[in-house]
Amino acid sequence: MDTVGAAALGWRLAVAAVAIAGPTLLYLGLWRLLEWLRDDALIERLAARGAVERPRPAAADVLAAATSGVDDRRCPACGTVAVAGETECRECRRPIEGNE
């Protein structure tokens, strides 16, 4: 067997570190780029025109809303319970009175 010198061993370890950490860093960079490109105001304008469907909340949004608390307000039109801080009903999209 060949003995590997310190410089060759260092080089191999550096290549291994890049091969392991590289994809993770690229994924995190892509994630940050996609967050930067997200335009919620544009989606709301298009949904108001009827060009696109309003996005349904993700599971994380539902969990955050459930843990933030539910107040005693209900939608006057359909009776849906309002989550704290909501300005419009999740079901019928009508304004909810008595916002904080």
Side-chain angles (χ1 to χ4, degrees):
M1 261 208 196
D2 233 347
T3 27
V4 179
L9 182 60
W11 173 252
R12 289 180 184 177
L13 287 174
V15 169
V18 168
I20 292 170
T24 302
L25 294 175
L26 287 172
Y27 175 75
L28 292 175
L30 175 64
W31 184 320
R32 300 283 309 252
L33 174 69
L34 292 176
E35 281 183 341
W36 179 72
L37 290 175
R38 188 177 78 186
D39 190 355
D40 292 334
L42 174 63
I43 293 171
E44 285 298 320
R45 285 194 311 267
L46 290 174
R49 290 184 194 165
V52 296
E53 184 178 325
R54 286 188 192 271
R56 301 297 292 173
D61 297 333
V62 172
L63 181 60
T67 57
S68 70
V70 176
D71 55 17
D72 293 332
R73 297 179 303 138
R74 290 187 174 271
C75 175
C78 67
T80 302
V81 176
V83 176
E86 278 187 332
T87 58
E88 64 179 23
C89 178
R90 291 184 309 276
E91 295 299 320
C92 65
R93 298 293 180 198
R94 293 193 179 138
I96 297 175
E97 300 298 323
N99 294 326
E100 289 120 23

